Amino acid sequence: MDNNHIKKEDLIKMKSVALCVLGSAVICFFLGFYYKIGWLKAFSEAAMVGGIADWFAVVALFKHPLGIPIPHTALIPDNKDAIGRNLGTFVSDEFLIKEKLEVKLDEFDFAAKATNWLKEEKNAAIISSLVVENVIPGVLKTIDDTNVKEFIQQQFHIKLKQLNFGEWIAIGLESLSKDDKQAQLITNVLSILSAELEANRMEIREKVKNATPWYTLGVADKKIADGVFNGLYEFLDMAKQPESSIRKKINLYVLNFIEELKKSPEMQQKITTVILEFTQKDEVQEYIGSIWQELKNAVLTDLEKGEGSEIKLNLTRMIRNFGSNIQNDVVMTTKINNFIKIDLLSVLIRNKKAIGDLIATSVQSWDKKEIADKLELEVGKDLQFIRINGTVVGGIVGLIIYFAEQLL
């Protein structure tokens, strides 16, 4: 049951009570009149007058009594524009005063209240739910995938152009040579070459066969191919031996290459250019562009998990940690409170007239019946006590007058 419904029921109940009190006065009047009870008749007459008068006064605030357009009734609906102006002026002149606002803002301690609120898991979950259920999906729907893809490709290329790949490679190779990983790396490369050579034995034989003259009738094909294979295998096996002359030459070549690469901007630029040209190939560009779609799909898939969403859980945790960290940071909380105090105070003071005009305009825009119904719903329950008191007090005054007449 909503709050307005409860207020409406309470208002109806109090109206019924006030009506019953007035009805009791009417019954008392007939009893006093019939049985010739003077004091009862005097009490009830005055009570009826008081009750009806106060009923008229209360009803006249919100509407015309019995629907009759009596002058100076339906005061609130007929004067809502003036009420709005007066309310706006009252708020701007009485509340939006620098000295009063400073005191209230100092007492409020916005930073403490905000951080305490954020530390509560249910509150952090409310914010994270709002973000993952509305903000993130809404943003993803409005984004043009093609534009994002092109943007990623452009930014990727711009960032790559700023990097010196040659220098990086030189540093990497130099670090390998210093901790003896260079030797292992060369051995691994040679082993890979041996494996690839064996894996492509038949293809190499076929190429040798196609390259030999037809008149050899294929006799020399196998010998030539085996000779090539044996020579290459022997070379690779010797190169794998750490103390072999071939291995020493390879090591020296690598060291000279590293040294030259470290000192030669031209060589560094050549390596960077080769890498940049490679990244401009259609296949690489398509892969770079697909990063956004993969990221988007991953986010949407995670959000579909609801309460189990990693994004939501991490966001909730981040919000709670933010609240805790800020709360323990005296400098930051002071800055927040000063920001609220100075900036908010400045905004309020600078726009006090605009705020008053906004209140006045808002009230003026309300429908007459709507504003009457809303106000009656808020204060009508308490106003019914005026009717009850009017009936009771009127009756007491009637008794006093009756007994005064008897004494005189």
Side-chain angles (χ1 to χ4, degrees):
M1 186 179 296
D2 59 47
N3 195 38
N4 283 340
H5 188 72
I6 294 173
K7 289 179 179 179
K8 191 173 183 179
E9 286 189 348
D10 291 342
L11 176 60
I12 293 172
K13 187 185 297 182
M14 287 306 302
K15 282 184 176 181
S16 300
V17 172
L19 184 61
C20 288
V21 173
L22 180 60
S24 299
V26 174
I27 294 172
C28 288
F29 171 75
F30 284 110
L31 290 173
F33 180 81
Y34 184 80
Y35 291 106
K36 308 298 182 182
I37 306 173
W39 65 269
L40 184 58
K41 183 171 176 290
F43 172 83
S44 58
E45 284 178 342
M48 287 190 295
V49 172
I52 293 172
D54 284 340
W55 165 83
F56 182 91
V58 171
V59 173
L61 288 173
F62 305 105
K63 62 190 73 172
H64 297 297
L66 302 177
I68 303 172
I70 302 171
H72 302 294
T73 58
L75 297 176
I76 291 175
D78 289 347
N79 294 279
K80 70 178 182 67
D81 292 350
I83 293 173
R85 288 192 299 272
N86 293 333
L87 180 61
T89 302
F90 177 75
V91 171
S92 62
D93 291 347
E94 298 298 328
F95 288 95
L96 301 181
I97 300 173
K98 184 177 180 180
E99 292 74 16
K100 291 184 178 180
L101 289 173
E102 283 181 337
V103 173
K104 291 298 180 184
L105 289 175
D106 285 335
E107 293 175 352
F108 186 71
D109 194 358
F110 177 84
K113 287 180 170 58
T115 52
N116 284 332
W117 191 84
L118 290 175
K119 282 171 55 180
E120 296 292 332
E121 185 166 359
K122 63 177 182 178
N123 298 328
I126 290 173
I127 298 177
S128 61
S129 295
L130 179 64
V131 173
V132 301
E133 293 173 9
N134 298 289
V135 178
I136 296 178
V139 171
L140 292 179
K141 287 180 181 178
T142 57
I143 290 177
D144 188 317
D145 292 343
T146 302
N147 291 339
V148 176
K149 179 179 177 180
E150 292 175 354
F151 175 79
I152 292 176
Q153 292 170 338
Q154 292 170 359
Q155 292 301 311
F156 189 79
H157 183 68
I158 291 172
K159 295 300 181 184
L160 287 181
K161 287 176 66 176
Q162 297 173 355
L163 301 177
N164 188 338
F165 288 99
E167 185 178 13
W168 283 19
I169 292 173
I171 293 173
L173 292 176
E174 186 177 34
S175 66
L176 290 176
S177 65
K178 288 181 178 179
D179 59 7
D180 295 331
K181 288 185 179 179
Q182 175 186 321
Q184 185 60 46
L185 178 62
I186 294 174
T187 301
N188 291 341
V189 171
L190 293 172
S191 298
I192 292 172
L193 290 175
S194 296
E196 287 297 314
L197 184 64
E198 182 63 30
N200 292 278
R201 177 185 288 269
M202 297 305 297
E203 184 177 350
I204 294 173
R205 280 182 174 175
E206 188 64 28
K207 289 185 180 296
V208 171
K209 179 180 178 181
N210 293 333
T212 54
W214 64 271
Y215 52 80
T216 61
L217 301 176
V219 175
D221 295 350
K222 187 175 184 303
K223 290 185 178 182
I224 293 173
D226 288 342
V228 171
F229 275 115
N230 292 335
L232 289 173
Y233 277 132
E234 184 178 350
F235 176 82
L236 293 174
D237 286 339
M238 289 181 63
K240 292 178 184 178
Q241 303 302 318
E243 300 301 325
S244 68
S245 59
I246 296 176
R247 182 59 170 266
K248 290 179 180 180
K249 288 180 180 180
I250 293 175
N251 289 334
L252 182 61
Y253 173 80
V254 172
L255 292 174
N256 290 336
F257 174 78
I258 293 173
E259 196 63 29
E260 185 178 0
L261 188 57
K262 285 170 58 181
K263 298 178 179 179
S264 173
E266 295 80 7
M267 184 176 291
Q268 293 175 4
Q269 184 59 45
K270 285 181 181 179
I271 291 176
T272 300
T273 301
V274 170
I275 293 176
L276 290 176
E277 289 176 352
F278 172 76
T279 60
Q280 292 304 303
K281 291 182 177 294
D282 292 340
E283 298 85 349
V284 179
Q285 285 295 301
E286 188 61 31
Y287 173 75
I288 295 172
S290 68
I291 293 174
W292 161 247
Q293 194 60 49
E294 292 179 5
L295 177 62
K296 180 179 177 180
N297 291 338
V299 170
L300 292 174
T301 301
D302 181 77
L303 295 184
E304 289 175 356
K305 296 178 182 178
E307 294 300 321
S309 167
E310 289 295 328
I311 295 176
K312 181 177 180 179
L313 294 174
N314 289 328
L315 185 58
T316 301
R317 191 179 305 112
M318 182 180 70
I319 293 171
R320 294 188 64 195
N321 290 338
F322 174 79
S324 299
N325 294 336
I326 293 296
Q327 189 177 50
N328 298 326
D329 190 334
V330 178
V331 176
M332 184 59 69
T333 55
T334 302
K335 287 182 178 180
I336 292 174
N337 284 330
N338 287 338
F339 170 79
I340 295 296
K341 179 180 177 180
I342 297 171
D343 287 19
L344 181 59
L345 186 62
S346 175
V347 170
L348 291 174
I349 297 300
R350 189 169 58 250
N351 296 283
K352 60 183 298 184
K353 186 179 184 305
I355 294 172
D357 292 341
L358 176 63
I359 294 172
T361 304
S362 299
V363 174
Q364 290 169 7
S365 67
W366 293 347
D367 178 74
K368 289 184 177 183
K369 185 177 184 306
E370 181 183 2
I371 188 174
D373 292 343
K374 285 183 177 180
L375 287 175
E376 186 177 17
L377 199 62
E378 295 298 328
V379 300
K381 175 185 174 182
D382 295 326
L383 290 178
Q384 302 311 308
F385 285 104
I386 295 177
R387 294 174 56 189
I388 297 171
N389 293 336
T391 304
V392 175
V393 172
I396 294 172
V397 171
L399 276 178
I400 293 172
I401 296 172
Y402 172 79
F403 286 118
E405 286 179 348
Q406 298 300 315
L407 290 173
L408 294 174

